[in-house]
Amino acid sequence: MSSMIPREEAFSIVMGLASLLRTEHIPLEQALGRVLAEDVLSDIDMPPFDKSAMDGYAIRREDILRELEITEVIPAGTPPSKRVGPGECAKIMTGAMIPEGADCVIMREYVELTEDGRVRFTGNDTATNICYKAEDTSIGDVVLRRGERILPQQVAILASLGCMNPLVARRPRVGIMATGDELVEPRERPGVSQIRNSNSYQLQAQAAAAGAIPKYFGIAEDTEAAIDATLKKVMAESDVVLVSGGVSVGDYDLVPAILRRNGVEMEFESLAIKPGKPTHFGLADGIYFFGLPGNPVSTFVIFELLVKPFLLKLMGHDYRPANIVMPLEQDIEKHRTKREAWYPVVLTSDGCVRPIEYHGSAHARALPQADGIICVPRGTNKLAKGEMVHVRMI
Ligand code: AMP
Ligand code: MG
């Protein structure tokens, strides 16, 4: 039970236990970062009519070498009133409806006007410059799928379909607590042997960025009574509980035993991942619990690898991290190979992956400089210069 399990196994346990949250309709203006809970069908053809892609003149292609008489001017938003016949053209604006008879738009830039006000094409050849009715989407097409995360691109599509109240998954309530007698709140100046609680603020930010609703419950000192009391408050208001610190094997690492006493069934207690080995995960009465190591880099990495995909899965989204494959600029070596190890890196302007100075899991200062993290797998003690590596972008 307490043996180290590989990341892949932990990932499938966590993802396998994630059950979908309920749904709600929300205003489109608040939809950014949410996950669609139903397929969205188009109620219109896009484009809704054949429209001009350019400012120019709508003509019959067979007339392209002739001098053409202008019959009307067609602004965007006004339907044409005349058919374009032989020897004729209509001056047309981008986004306006193509008049009947015309099959091509010549660009204003490649036209000159004759003395008697006719139009002469001066180019060699031309594209059609027409966006055809329904070439992007037809009525009834599924344009966005259940499980898609709503980014600005999706917002545009929802707006174009008049979907002002999309159905989305509810956001998980993520309750966050810290443990540790050495911790003070960031507004305070740490005394001798104290440090500021940065982890809980990082976790609130990570949870919010993943689309969840974070709530912070404060620091519990390293006593059973204090941890238990705070934990009970968190449990009363959360779908997911994140406890940081106190999960390792020190004398004051009381969290796992207290979780168990509160009915949490542990699914794992140790990961073959560096940093992040003492990560715990369990379940009680439909509430999920992550016990995360106290060190901020450990927490950051484990959140990225496990908690973030899990939170998105609760909302029905299948999270795929952005990966870039590029050559390593210098060797990376490690001594032990039982755990996979993650390192912060930057992408250089000449297309290489450069490890940045990193002193281990307490070195939070390394992360803001990093573009991503790379993994030296279990059983491997070296990645060699020039090797192609996957950078997981952060
Ligand atoms: P622990 O997991 O409680 O043994 O903590 C491991 C290390 O992380 C210790 O050096 C702690 O001081 C540090 N640490 C624990 N909790 C936090 C926190 N909330 N913010 C920053 N550092 C922490
Ligand atoms: Mg501690």
Side-chain angles (χ1 to χ4, degrees):
M1 179 62 168
S2 61
S3 67
M4 289 197 301
I5 65 167
R7 170 170 47 97
E8 298 75 12
E9 194 180 331
F11 186 83
S12 47
I13 290 173
V14 165
M15 298 302 266
L17 286 169
S19 41
L20 266 184
L21 294 163
R22 292 207 302 274
T23 60
E24 61 184 339
H25 284 280
I26 50 150
L28 181 60
E29 294 87 341
Q30 289 161 28
L32 184 65
R34 303 295 294 268
V35 177
L36 280 171
E38 63 182 0
D39 291 349
V40 178
L41 310 189
S42 184
D43 68 338
I44 48 166
D45 290 329
M46 288 195 280
F49 47 83
D50 292 349
K51 72 176 184 186
S52 179
M54 298 291 172
D55 293 317
Y57 297 84
I59 65 163
R60 301 168 353 129
R61 188 180 279 278
E62 64 198 82
D63 288 351
I64 197 159
L65 298 175
R66 297 171 65 176
E67 289 182 0
L68 302 171
E69 188 183 333
I70 303 171
T71 56
E72 66 172 330
V73 178
I74 313 170
T78 305
S81 63
K82 299 196 177 85
R83 184 182 172 85
V84 172
E88 294 176 347
C89 69
K91 192 172 188 187
I92 192 165
M93 309 303 144
T94 302
M97 241 172 129
I98 300 291
E100 275 187 43
D103 57 9
C104 163
V105 173
I106 51 178
M107 289 168 67
R108 209 174 177 134
E109 292 85 337
Y110 302 119
V111 157
E112 57 189 25
L113 292 181
T114 62
E115 267 166 27
D116 58 351
R118 287 164 183 269
V119 162
R120 186 193 297 132
F121 182 55
T122 58
N124 292 322
D125 194 8
T126 181
T128 301
N129 296 322
I130 296 173
C131 305
Y132 291 103
K133 177 179 159 81
E135 75 178 3
D136 299 342
T137 308
S138 302
I139 291 184
D141 282 357
V142 176
V143 231
L144 301 173
R145 300 223 168 251
R146 181 160 56 100
E148 264 180 66
R149 202 157 181 215
I150 302 176
L151 302 176
Q153 306 85 301
Q154 276 82 0
V155 171
I157 303 300
L158 289 165
S160 72
L161 301 178
C163 183
M164 289 308 286
N165 283 293
L167 186 70
V168 298
R170 284 179 180 274
R171 309 162 71 195
R173 296 167 306 159
V174 176
I176 295 162
M177 63 178 276
T179 68
D181 287 343
E182 76 280 29
L183 301 178
V184 296
E185 285 299 351
R187 72 184 89 86
E188 291 169 42
R189 206 172 167 83
V192 178
S193 83
Q194 294 184 321
I195 60 167
R196 289 194 175 104
N197 170 20
S198 55
N199 226 347
S200 299
Y201 293 85
Q202 175 178 268
L203 281 171
Q204 289 175 77
Q206 283 182 297
I213 306 171
K215 180 166 177 183
Y216 174 51
F217 288 82
I219 302 165
E221 58 182 48
D222 286 319
T223 64
E224 288 195 19
I227 296 172
D228 189 68
T230 307
L231 182 67
K232 287 193 161 76
K233 281 186 207 148
V234 186
M235 288 171 68
E237 289 187 48
S238 308
D239 302 305
V240 181
V241 176
L242 306 181
V243 186
S244 87
V247 289
S248 197
V249 293
D251 290 353
Y252 299 95
D253 290 329
L254 307 169
V255 169
I258 296 168
L259 287 176
R260 262 188 238 106
R261 236 171 290 135
N262 279 277
V264 180
E265 291 266 357
M266 286 298 172
E267 295 291 332
F268 56 77
E269 307 188 318
S270 182
L271 298 179
I273 303 178
K274 180 187 171 77
K277 179 177 166 194
T279 300
H280 289 60
F281 176 71
L283 208 64
D285 297 331
I287 308 175
Y288 303 92
F289 295 79
F290 286 89
L292 300 167
N295 273 315
V297 182
S298 313
T299 293
F300 183 89
V301 169
I302 297 299
F303 192 99
E304 278 294 315
L305 300 180
L306 294 179
V307 185
K308 179 174 172 177
F310 170 77
L311 293 177
L312 286 162
K313 182 80 189 295
L314 292 178
M315 295 183 273
H317 178 67
D318 181 17
Y319 173 62
R320 302 286 166 90
N323 264 290
I324 289 185
V325 183
M326 296 211 302
L328 196 56
E329 198 185 58
Q330 66 198 58
D331 292 352
I332 296 187
E333 285 184 75
K334 66 179 181 97
H335 300 301
R336 309 218 179 143
T337 63
K338 273 198 177 151
R339 292 189 276 160
E340 66 177 29
W342 289 84
Y343 298 93
V345 296
V346 292
L347 308 179
T348 67
S349 53
D350 54 353
C352 279
V353 177
R354 176 182 300 158
I356 57 187
E357 188 180 331
Y358 173 58
H359 309 152
S361 60
H363 189 191
R365 165 87 180 83
L367 288 178
Q369 307 169 50
D371 293 314
I373 51 179
I374 63 169
C375 179
V376 182
R378 280 179 302 135
T380 306
N381 59 11
K382 180 174 173 180
L383 294 180
K385 177 179 172 175
E387 206 169 309
M388 298 300 278
V389 291
H390 286 256
V391 179
R392 184 170 173 133
M393 302 302 284
I394 58 173

